[in-house]
Amino acid sequence: RKEVEQDPGPFNVPEGATVAFNCTYSNSASQSFFWYRQDCRKEPKLLMSVYSSGNEDGRFTAQLNRASQYISLLIRDSKLSDSATYLCVVNSAAGGTSYGKLTFGQGTILTVHP
Amino acid sequence: GAVVSQHPSWVICKSGTSVKIECRSLDFQATTMFWYRQFPKQSLMLMATSNEGSKATYEQGVEKDKFLINHASLTLSTLTVTSAHPEDSSFYICSARRGSGTDTQYFGPGTRLTVL
């Protein structure tokens, strides 16, 4: 089983749509969770961290369910510029020299069309 | 914000040559840097963790004699792909962590390596 699993998609949605991505992780000791965005042939960029209480940043809402080891990202009112690959990322180390080791999911491709 | 640069941004080389990629943290000191590799249509895979002044920690399956990592200062880490072969062609991305009390990593723009 992969450490971090995502539905690879692709998701093709019209502008204005709401789209949700899901992610599961296997290591129950994981400490921190993130969503990154990666544009074609570019480096990943941090979209938002994910907290147990859930957090929102504009049109983006992230949720974490530690009991189910499940993370989600909701994008409302999709824009053309939201087209990218969305990476679910988990810090699986509890401490020591491995602190900060990130494990990436395979990514979910989103295409927003006019 | 924290800026990480990589050089070169792309490189094409012949099989058997060695290629050095530099990763620099421009406006902060990075105690730890990470090297990732990404093949087409795949996600980033961590290759090694590099701590300033000590030997790098390699992930399982990554040959330390082939991928030499040097982290000689708090702002510079280098990855040397020795005797590169076509199967080493990939997108190599570094990231830097500011200190031990955070898990936020700042990514460089990546280096696209093509081995002919």
Side-chain angles (χ1 to χ4, degrees), chain A residues 31-32 34 36 38 41-44 46 87 91 97-102 104-107, chain B residues 34 36 38 42-44 46 49 59 91 93 97 100-103 105 107-110 112:
Chain A
Q31 297 293 305
S32 333
F34 311 90
Y36 277 75
Q38 186 174 26
R41 303 174 79 87
K42 299 283 188 181
E43 78 276 21
L46 179 65
L87 302 167
N91 179 342
T97 57
S98 296
Y99 185 64
K101 174 182 170 180
L102 301 180
F104 286 76
Q106 72 267 39
Chain B
F34 302 86
Y36 296 84
Q38 185 176 31
Q42 296 186 26
S43 193
L44 278 75
L46 180 65
T49 302
E59 295 299 301
F91 191 42
I93 307 174
R97 198 177 77 208
S100 59
T102 175
D103 59 5
Q105 294 183 23
F107 285 84
R112 194 160 299 280

mmCIF file of all heavy atoms in Angstrom, chain A residues 31-32 34 36 38 41-44 46 87 91 97-102 104-107, chain B residues 34 36 38 42-44 46 49 59 91 93 97 100-103 105 107-110 112:
data_model
loop_
_atom_site.group_PDB
_atom_site.id
_atom_site.type_symbol
_atom_site.label_atom_id
_atom_site.label_comp_id
_atom_site.label_asym_id
_atom_site.label_seq_id
_atom_site.Cartn_x
_atom_site.Cartn_y
_atom_site.Cartn_z
ATOM 1 N N GLN A 31 2.370 13.552 11.252
ATOM 2 C CA GLN A 31 2.208 14.731 12.091
ATOM 3 C C GLN A 31 1.596 15.926 11.374
ATOM 4 O O GLN A 31 0.834 16.674 11.960
ATOM 5 C CB GLN A 31 3.576 15.142 12.653
ATOM 6 C CG GLN A 31 4.205 14.094 13.548
ATOM 7 C CD GLN A 31 3.419 13.898 14.824
ATOM 8 O OE1 GLN A 31 3.175 14.847 15.550
ATOM 9 N NE2 GLN A 31 3.003 12.676 15.069
ATOM 10 N N SER A 32 2.008 16.146 10.144
ATOM 11 C CA SER A 32 1.546 17.350 9.445
ATOM 12 C C SER A 32 1.088 16.986 8.052
ATOM 13 O O SER A 32 1.559 16.012 7.457
ATOM 14 C CB SER A 32 2.646 18.396 9.317
ATOM 15 O OG SER A 32 3.584 18.310 10.320
ATOM 16 N N PHE A 34 -0.427 18.603 4.162
ATOM 17 C CA PHE A 34 -0.420 19.766 3.291
ATOM 18 C C PHE A 34 -1.079 19.429 1.963
ATOM 19 O O PHE A 34 -1.092 18.275 1.536
ATOM 20 C CB PHE A 34 1.033 20.208 3.001
ATOM 21 C CG PHE A 34 1.906 20.343 4.223
ATOM 22 C CD1 PHE A 34 2.634 19.256 4.684
ATOM 23 C CD2 PHE A 34 1.994 21.542 4.905
ATOM 24 C CE1 PHE A 34 3.432 19.360 5.817
ATOM 25 C CE2 PHE A 34 2.800 21.664 6.027
ATOM 26 C CZ PHE A 34 3.517 20.570 6.482
ATOM 27 N N TYR A 36 -0.273 20.745 -1.880
ATOM 28 C CA TYR A 36 0.589 21.508 -2.761
ATOM 29 C C TYR A 36 -0.054 21.552 -4.142
ATOM 30 O O TYR A 36 -0.817 20.669 -4.517
ATOM 31 C CB TYR A 36 1.974 20.863 -2.890
ATOM 32 C CG TYR A 36 2.949 21.205 -1.788
ATOM 33 C CD1 TYR A 36 2.822 20.638 -0.520
ATOM 34 C CD2 TYR A 36 4.007 22.064 -2.013
ATOM 35 C CE1 TYR A 36 3.720 20.936 0.492
ATOM 36 C CE2 TYR A 36 4.924 22.371 -1.005
ATOM 37 C CZ TYR A 36 4.766 21.803 0.236
ATOM 38 O OH TYR A 36 5.662 22.098 1.236
ATOM 39 N N GLN A 38 1.042 21.890 -8.235
ATOM 40 C CA GLN A 38 2.177 21.842 -9.166
ATOM 41 C C GLN A 38 1.674 22.104 -10.576
ATOM 42 O O GLN A 38 0.826 21.380 -11.093
ATOM 43 C CB GLN A 38 2.905 20.497 -9.101
ATOM 44 C CG GLN A 38 4.178 20.472 -9.941
ATOM 45 C CD GLN A 38 4.986 19.199 -9.784
ATOM 46 O OE1 GLN A 38 4.446 18.145 -9.465
ATOM 47 N NE2 GLN A 38 6.294 19.279 -10.008
ATOM 48 N N ARG A 41 5.674 21.174 -15.433
ATOM 49 C CA ARG A 41 7.108 21.425 -15.547
ATOM 50 C C ARG A 41 7.625 22.482 -14.566
ATOM 51 O O ARG A 41 8.634 23.148 -14.811
ATOM 52 C CB ARG A 41 7.477 21.815 -16.981
ATOM 53 C CG ARG A 41 7.059 20.776 -18.000
ATOM 54 C CD ARG A 41 7.307 21.238 -19.419
ATOM 55 N NE ARG A 41 8.706 21.097 -19.806
ATOM 56 C CZ ARG A 41 9.232 20.015 -20.309
ATOM 57 N NH1 ARG A 41 8.505 18.941 -20.476
ATOM 58 N NH2 ARG A 41 10.502 19.974 -20.657
ATOM 59 N N LYS A 42 6.901 22.627 -13.466
ATOM 60 C CA LYS A 42 7.323 23.569 -12.434
ATOM 61 C C LYS A 42 7.463 22.842 -11.106
ATOM 62 O O LYS A 42 7.038 21.696 -10.966
ATOM 63 C CB LYS A 42 6.279 24.681 -12.267
ATOM 64 C CG LYS A 42 6.047 25.499 -13.503
ATOM 65 C CD LYS A 42 7.168 26.485 -13.717
ATOM 66 C CE LYS A 42 6.832 27.435 -14.844
ATOM 67 N NZ LYS A 42 7.929 28.395 -15.090
ATOM 68 N N GLU A 43 8.029 23.540 -10.129
ATOM 69 C CA GLU A 43 8.148 22.943 -8.805
ATOM 70 C C GLU A 43 6.822 23.023 -8.068
ATOM 71 O O GLU A 43 5.979 23.881 -8.354
ATOM 72 C CB GLU A 43 9.252 23.643 -7.990
ATOM 73 C CG GLU A 43 8.864 24.990 -7.403
ATOM 74 C CD GLU A 43 9.027 26.144 -8.387
ATOM 75 O OE1 GLU A 43 9.055 25.909 -9.606
ATOM 76 O OE2 GLU A 43 9.128 27.286 -7.890
ATOM 77 N N PRO A 44 6.591 22.172 -7.066
ATOM 78 C CA PRO A 44 5.359 22.270 -6.285
ATOM 79 C C PRO A 44 5.377 23.511 -5.397
ATOM 80 O O PRO A 44 6.424 23.919 -4.906
ATOM 81 C CB PRO A 44 5.371 21.000 -5.433
ATOM 82 C CG PRO A 44 6.777 20.533 -5.420
ATOM 83 C CD PRO A 44 7.427 21.039 -6.661
ATOM 84 N N LEU A 46 3.320 25.365 -2.087
ATOM 85 C CA LEU A 46 2.403 25.113 -0.987
ATOM 86 C C LEU A 46 1.093 25.862 -1.195
ATOM 87 O O LEU A 46 1.083 27.077 -1.373
ATOM 88 C CB LEU A 46 3.052 25.536 0.339
ATOM 89 C CG LEU A 46 2.194 25.360 1.587
ATOM 90 C CD1 LEU A 46 1.902 23.886 1.844
ATOM 91 C CD2 LEU A 46 2.884 25.972 2.802
ATOM 92 N N LEU A 87 -1.253 18.033 -5.118
ATOM 93 C CA LEU A 87 -0.500 16.992 -4.424
ATOM 94 C C LEU A 87 -0.851 16.968 -2.946
ATOM 95 O O LEU A 87 -0.772 17.994 -2.269
ATOM 96 C CB LEU A 87 1.004 17.242 -4.581
ATOM 97 C CG LEU A 87 1.538 17.316 -6.008
ATOM 98 C CD1 LEU A 87 2.945 17.883 -6.020
ATOM 99 C CD2 LEU A 87 1.537 15.934 -6.630
ATOM 100 N N ASN A 91 3.785 14.701 6.304
ATOM 101 C CA ASN A 91 5.041 14.574 7.031
ATOM 102 C C ASN A 91 4.883 13.378 7.933
ATOM 103 O O ASN A 91 4.115 13.416 8.893
ATOM 104 C CB ASN A 91 5.320 15.830 7.844
ATOM 105 C CG ASN A 91 6.616 15.726 8.640
ATOM 106 O OD1 ASN A 91 7.130 14.624 8.854
ATOM 107 N ND2 ASN A 91 7.126 16.839 9.071
ATOM 108 N N THR A 97 16.021 13.051 13.346
ATOM 109 C CA THR A 97 16.656 13.554 12.137
ATOM 110 C C THR A 97 15.739 13.472 10.927
ATOM 111 O O THR A 97 15.998 14.103 9.918
ATOM 112 C CB THR A 97 17.942 12.774 11.832
ATOM 113 O OG1 THR A 97 17.617 11.387 11.712
ATOM 114 C CG2 THR A 97 18.961 12.959 12.940
ATOM 115 N N SER A 98 14.672 12.700 11.005
ATOM 116 C CA SER A 98 13.771 12.586 9.862
ATOM 117 C C SER A 98 12.671 13.618 9.900
ATOM 118 O O SER A 98 11.822 13.654 9.019
ATOM 119 C CB SER A 98 13.130 11.192 9.828
ATOM 120 O OG SER A 98 14.101 10.201 9.623
ATOM 121 N N TYR A 99 12.670 14.463 10.905
ATOM 122 C CA TYR A 99 11.633 15.485 10.994
ATOM 123 C C TYR A 99 11.658 16.326 9.750
ATOM 124 O O TYR A 99 12.675 16.823 9.337
ATOM 125 C CB TYR A 99 11.876 16.343 12.232
ATOM 126 C CG TYR A 99 10.795 17.350 12.467
ATOM 127 C CD1 TYR A 99 9.501 16.933 12.752
ATOM 128 C CD2 TYR A 99 11.048 18.705 12.404
ATOM 129 C CE1 TYR A 99 8.492 17.854 12.975
ATOM 130 C CE2 TYR A 99 10.055 19.631 12.632
ATOM 131 C CZ TYR A 99 8.778 19.206 12.914
ATOM 132 O OH TYR A 99 7.789 20.119 13.137
ATOM 133 N N GLY A 100 10.502 16.502 9.131
ATOM 134 C CA GLY A 100 10.444 17.296 7.922
ATOM 135 C C GLY A 100 10.480 16.468 6.659
ATOM 136 O O GLY A 100 10.439 17.007 5.577
ATOM 137 N N LYS A 101 10.528 15.157 6.777
ATOM 138 C CA LYS A 101 10.518 14.323 5.574
ATOM 139 C C LYS A 101 9.098 14.261 5.037
ATOM 140 O O LYS A 101 8.185 13.808 5.709
ATOM 141 C CB LYS A 101 11.026 12.919 5.921
ATOM 142 C CG LYS A 101 10.929 11.925 4.788
ATOM 143 C CD LYS A 101 11.411 10.553 5.236
ATOM 144 C CE LYS A 101 11.102 9.506 4.189
ATOM 145 N NZ LYS A 101 11.562 8.169 4.612
ATOM 146 N N LEU A 102 8.920 14.745 3.837
ATOM 147 C CA LEU A 102 7.601 14.797 3.221
ATOM 148 C C LEU A 102 7.401 13.632 2.266
ATOM 149 O O LEU A 102 8.299 13.267 1.524
ATOM 150 C CB LEU A 102 7.428 16.104 2.456
ATOM 151 C CG LEU A 102 7.558 17.402 3.243
ATOM 152 C CD1 LEU A 102 7.356 18.598 2.332
ATOM 153 C CD2 LEU A 102 6.549 17.431 4.397
ATOM 154 N N PHE A 104 4.889 12.496 -0.804
ATOM 155 C CA PHE A 104 3.939 13.065 -1.751
ATOM 156 C C PHE A 104 3.026 11.980 -2.303
ATOM 157 O O PHE A 104 3.468 10.877 -2.635
ATOM 158 C CB PHE A 104 4.684 13.713 -2.921
ATOM 159 C CG PHE A 104 5.343 15.008 -2.579
ATOM 160 C CD1 PHE A 104 6.512 15.037 -1.843
ATOM 161 C CD2 PHE A 104 4.787 16.211 -2.992
ATOM 162 C CE1 PHE A 104 7.123 16.237 -1.520
ATOM 163 C CE2 PHE A 104 5.396 17.412 -2.676
ATOM 164 C CZ PHE A 104 6.569 17.424 -1.943
ATOM 165 N N GLY A 105 1.756 12.329 -2.461
ATOM 166 C CA GLY A 105 0.859 11.481 -3.225
ATOM 167 C C GLY A 105 1.162 11.653 -4.704
ATOM 168 O O GLY A 105 1.948 12.518 -5.098
ATOM 169 N N GLN A 106 0.540 10.819 -5.513
ATOM 170 C CA GLN A 106 0.848 10.852 -6.948
ATOM 171 C C GLN A 106 0.219 12.050 -7.651
ATOM 172 O O GLN A 106 0.548 12.324 -8.801
ATOM 173 C CB GLN A 106 0.419 9.542 -7.640
ATOM 174 C CG GLN A 106 -1.084 9.369 -7.794
ATOM 175 C CD GLN A 106 -1.685 8.596 -6.634
ATOM 176 O OE1 GLN A 106 -1.308 8.772 -5.476
ATOM 177 N NE2 GLN A 106 -2.635 7.728 -6.933
ATOM 178 N N GLY A 107 -0.650 12.765 -6.951
ATOM 179 C CA GLY A 107 -1.231 13.969 -7.532
ATOM 180 C C GLY A 107 -2.558 13.716 -8.218
ATOM 181 O O GLY A 107 -2.803 12.629 -8.758
ATOM 182 N N PHE B 34 16.659 18.889 0.980
ATOM 183 C CA PHE B 34 16.144 17.617 0.481
ATOM 184 C C PHE B 34 16.283 17.584 -1.039
ATOM 185 O O PHE B 34 16.104 18.603 -1.715
ATOM 186 C CB PHE B 34 14.664 17.456 0.850
ATOM 187 C CG PHE B 34 14.385 17.527 2.332
ATOM 188 C CD1 PHE B 34 14.188 18.754 2.947
ATOM 189 C CD2 PHE B 34 14.296 16.381 3.100
ATOM 190 C CE1 PHE B 34 13.926 18.835 4.306
ATOM 191 C CE2 PHE B 34 14.033 16.450 4.460
ATOM 192 C CZ PHE B 34 13.851 17.677 5.066
ATOM 193 N N TYR B 36 14.768 15.673 -4.427
ATOM 194 C CA TYR B 36 13.691 14.858 -4.952
ATOM 195 C C TYR B 36 13.934 14.610 -6.441
ATOM 196 O O TYR B 36 14.625 15.365 -7.123
ATOM 197 C CB TYR B 36 12.343 15.572 -4.811
ATOM 198 C CG TYR B 36 11.880 15.833 -3.395
ATOM 199 C CD1 TYR B 36 12.322 16.955 -2.699
ATOM 200 C CD2 TYR B 36 10.989 14.977 -2.759
ATOM 201 C CE1 TYR B 36 11.897 17.209 -1.410
ATOM 202 C CE2 TYR B 36 10.544 15.232 -1.464
ATOM 203 C CZ TYR B 36 11.005 16.345 -0.802
ATOM 204 O OH TYR B 36 10.575 16.598 0.479
ATOM 205 N N GLN B 38 11.548 13.543 -9.967
ATOM 206 C CA GLN B 38 10.191 13.351 -10.475
ATOM 207 C C GLN B 38 10.268 12.909 -11.930
ATOM 208 O O GLN B 38 10.733 13.663 -12.792
ATOM 209 C CB GLN B 38 9.371 14.646 -10.357
ATOM 210 C CG GLN B 38 7.915 14.476 -10.748
ATOM 211 C CD GLN B 38 7.104 15.746 -10.518
ATOM 212 O OE1 GLN B 38 7.619 16.856 -10.627
ATOM 213 N NE2 GLN B 38 5.817 15.584 -10.197
ATOM 214 N N GLN B 42 4.596 11.236 -12.792
ATOM 215 C CA GLN B 42 4.710 10.635 -11.466
ATOM 216 C C GLN B 42 4.916 11.737 -10.444
ATOM 217 O O GLN B 42 5.178 12.887 -10.780
ATOM 218 C CB GLN B 42 5.869 9.637 -11.419
ATOM 219 C CG GLN B 42 5.679 8.434 -12.326
ATOM 220 C CD GLN B 42 6.769 7.394 -12.153
ATOM 221 O OE1 GLN B 42 7.379 7.297 -11.091
ATOM 222 N NE2 GLN B 42 7.013 6.614 -13.186
ATOM 223 N N SER B 43 4.786 11.370 -9.177
ATOM 224 C CA SER B 43 4.957 12.369 -8.141
ATOM 225 C C SER B 43 6.407 12.480 -7.727
ATOM 226 O O SER B 43 7.274 11.756 -8.217
ATOM 227 C CB SER B 43 4.090 12.026 -6.932
ATOM 228 O OG SER B 43 4.024 13.137 -6.057
ATOM 229 N N LEU B 44 6.670 13.414 -6.845
ATOM 230 C CA LEU B 44 8.025 13.589 -6.353
ATOM 231 C C LEU B 44 8.407 12.427 -5.459
ATOM 232 O O LEU B 44 7.627 12.000 -4.614
ATOM 233 C CB LEU B 44 8.136 14.874 -5.533
ATOM 234 C CG LEU B 44 8.320 16.169 -6.300
ATOM 235 C CD1 LEU B 44 7.022 16.595 -6.935
ATOM 236 C CD2 LEU B 44 8.835 17.258 -5.383
ATOM 237 N N LEU B 46 11.394 11.356 -2.771
ATOM 238 C CA LEU B 46 12.548 11.803 -2.014
ATOM 239 C C LEU B 46 13.732 10.891 -2.288
ATOM 240 O O LEU B 46 13.619 9.671 -2.183
ATOM 241 C CB LEU B 46 12.218 11.819 -0.513
ATOM 242 C CG LEU B 46 13.347 12.276 0.419
ATOM 243 C CD1 LEU B 46 13.695 13.745 0.167
ATOM 244 C CD2 LEU B 46 12.945 12.079 1.878
ATOM 245 N N THR B 49 18.159 13.163 2.181
ATOM 246 C CA THR B 49 18.084 14.299 3.085
ATOM 247 C C THR B 49 19.504 14.724 3.410
ATOM 248 O O THR B 49 20.340 13.886 3.782
ATOM 249 C CB THR B 49 17.353 13.903 4.380
ATOM 250 O OG1 THR B 49 16.050 13.435 4.048
ATOM 251 C CG2 THR B 49 17.247 15.085 5.329
ATOM 252 N N GLU B 59 17.422 7.572 0.694
ATOM 253 C CA GLU B 59 16.243 6.713 0.753
ATOM 254 C C GLU B 59 16.567 5.343 0.161
ATOM 255 O O GLU B 59 17.522 5.183 -0.621
ATOM 256 C CB GLU B 59 15.084 7.350 0.002
ATOM 257 C CG GLU B 59 14.600 8.646 0.629
ATOM 258 C CD GLU B 59 14.090 8.451 2.038
ATOM 259 O OE1 GLU B 59 13.140 7.664 2.225
ATOM 260 O OE2 GLU B 59 14.650 9.103 2.963
ATOM 261 N N PHE B 91 13.372 15.140 -13.622
ATOM 262 C CA PHE B 91 13.266 16.482 -13.071
ATOM 263 C C PHE B 91 13.755 16.396 -11.622
ATOM 264 O O PHE B 91 13.161 15.674 -10.817
ATOM 265 C CB PHE B 91 11.803 16.929 -13.142
ATOM 266 C CG PHE B 91 11.548 18.380 -12.858
ATOM 267 C CD1 PHE B 91 12.366 19.375 -13.368
ATOM 268 C CD2 PHE B 91 10.455 18.775 -12.089
ATOM 269 C CE1 PHE B 91 12.123 20.716 -13.120
ATOM 270 C CE2 PHE B 91 10.186 20.110 -11.843
ATOM 271 C CZ PHE B 91 11.022 21.087 -12.353
ATOM 272 N N ILE B 93 14.469 18.168 -8.100
ATOM 273 C CA ILE B 93 14.011 19.334 -7.342
ATOM 274 C C ILE B 93 14.603 19.279 -5.936
ATOM 275 O O ILE B 93 14.574 18.230 -5.287
ATOM 276 C CB ILE B 93 12.473 19.361 -7.218
ATOM 277 C CG1 ILE B 93 11.819 19.241 -8.585
ATOM 278 C CG2 ILE B 93 12.006 20.630 -6.525
ATOM 279 C CD1 ILE B 93 10.299 19.114 -8.514
ATOM 280 N N ARG B 97 14.797 23.511 4.328
ATOM 281 C CA ARG B 97 14.034 23.764 5.544
ATOM 282 C C ARG B 97 14.807 24.755 6.376
ATOM 283 O O ARG B 97 16.019 24.613 6.563
ATOM 284 C CB ARG B 97 13.825 22.461 6.314
ATOM 285 C CG ARG B 97 12.704 22.525 7.328
ATOM 286 C CD ARG B 97 12.509 21.177 7.988
ATOM 287 N NE ARG B 97 13.533 20.929 8.983
ATOM 288 C CZ ARG B 97 13.955 19.715 9.321
ATOM 289 N NH1 ARG B 97 13.478 18.658 8.720
ATOM 290 N NH2 ARG B 97 14.881 19.560 10.244
ATOM 291 N N SER B 100 15.145 23.503 12.594
ATOM 292 C CA SER B 100 14.672 22.218 13.091
ATOM 293 C C SER B 100 13.281 22.311 13.700
ATOM 294 O O SER B 100 12.627 21.317 13.941
ATOM 295 C CB SER B 100 15.647 21.644 14.128
ATOM 296 O OG SER B 100 15.780 22.555 15.214
ATOM 297 N N GLY B 101 12.808 23.509 13.932
ATOM 298 C CA GLY B 101 11.511 23.632 14.590
ATOM 299 C C GLY B 101 10.341 23.785 13.659
ATOM 300 O O GLY B 101 9.233 24.109 14.080
ATOM 301 N N THR B 102 10.578 23.531 12.387
ATOM 302 C CA THR B 102 9.504 23.677 11.419
ATOM 303 C C THR B 102 9.594 22.556 10.403
ATOM 304 O O THR B 102 10.672 22.017 10.154
ATOM 305 C CB THR B 102 9.604 25.035 10.693
ATOM 306 O OG1 THR B 102 8.607 25.083 9.662
ATOM 307 C CG2 THR B 102 10.963 25.206 10.018
ATOM 308 N N ASP B 103 8.445 22.202 9.836
ATOM 309 C CA ASP B 103 8.508 21.212 8.763
ATOM 310 C C ASP B 103 8.188 21.833 7.406
ATOM 311 O O ASP B 103 7.988 21.134 6.437
ATOM 312 C CB ASP B 103 7.590 20.020 9.058
ATOM 313 C CG ASP B 103 6.137 20.439 9.234
ATOM 314 O OD1 ASP B 103 5.829 21.623 9.041
ATOM 315 O OD2 ASP B 103 5.327 19.573 9.577
ATOM 316 N N GLN B 105 8.906 23.277 3.980
ATOM 317 C CA GLN B 105 9.999 23.193 3.019
ATOM 318 C C GLN B 105 9.732 24.159 1.881
ATOM 319 O O GLN B 105 8.601 24.290 1.416
ATOM 320 C CB GLN B 105 10.131 21.777 2.471
ATOM 321 C CG GLN B 105 10.561 20.765 3.516
ATOM 322 C CD GLN B 105 10.761 19.380 2.950
ATOM 323 O OE1 GLN B 105 11.000 19.208 1.744
ATOM 324 N NE2 GLN B 105 10.649 18.376 3.790
ATOM 325 N N PHE B 107 10.701 25.004 -1.974
ATOM 326 C CA PHE B 107 11.211 24.259 -3.118
ATOM 327 C C PHE B 107 11.941 25.157 -4.110
ATOM 328 O O PHE B 107 11.540 26.304 -4.353
ATOM 329 C CB PHE B 107 10.063 23.541 -3.836
ATOM 330 C CG PHE B 107 9.580 22.330 -3.090
ATOM 331 C CD1 PHE B 107 8.655 22.448 -2.071
ATOM 332 C CD2 PHE B 107 10.080 21.068 -3.393
ATOM 333 C CE1 PHE B 107 8.221 21.335 -1.357
ATOM 334 C CE2 PHE B 107 9.652 19.954 -2.695
ATOM 335 C CZ PHE B 107 8.728 20.089 -1.679
ATOM 336 N N GLY B 108 12.988 24.603 -4.676
ATOM 337 C CA GLY B 108 13.656 25.251 -5.787
ATOM 338 C C GLY B 108 12.850 25.035 -7.062
ATOM 339 O O GLY B 108 11.924 24.217 -7.082
ATOM 340 N N PRO B 109 13.211 25.717 -8.134
ATOM 341 C CA PRO B 109 12.458 25.624 -9.385
ATOM 342 C C PRO B 109 12.717 24.349 -10.171
ATOM 343 O O PRO B 109 12.051 24.105 -11.172
ATOM 344 C CB PRO B 109 12.931 26.850 -10.167
ATOM 345 C CG PRO B 109 14.293 27.115 -9.640
ATOM 346 C CD PRO B 109 14.259 26.741 -8.193
ATOM 347 N N GLY B 110 13.665 23.546 -9.720
ATOM 348 C CA GLY B 110 13.921 22.272 -10.392
ATOM 349 C C GLY B 110 14.955 22.353 -11.492
ATOM 350 O O GLY B 110 15.218 23.422 -12.056
ATOM 351 N N ARG B 112 15.931 20.190 -15.001
ATOM 352 C CA ARG B 112 15.522 19.117 -15.904
ATOM 353 C C ARG B 112 16.771 18.531 -16.559
ATOM 354 O O ARG B 112 17.477 19.224 -17.288
ATOM 355 C CB ARG B 112 14.559 19.645 -16.969
ATOM 356 C CG ARG B 112 13.842 18.538 -17.728
ATOM 357 C CD ARG B 112 12.567 19.065 -18.394
ATOM 358 N NE ARG B 112 11.596 19.584 -17.437
ATOM 359 C CZ ARG B 112 10.764 18.828 -16.729
ATOM 360 N NH1 ARG B 112 10.777 17.519 -16.843
ATOM 361 N NH2 ARG B 112 9.914 19.395 -15.900
#
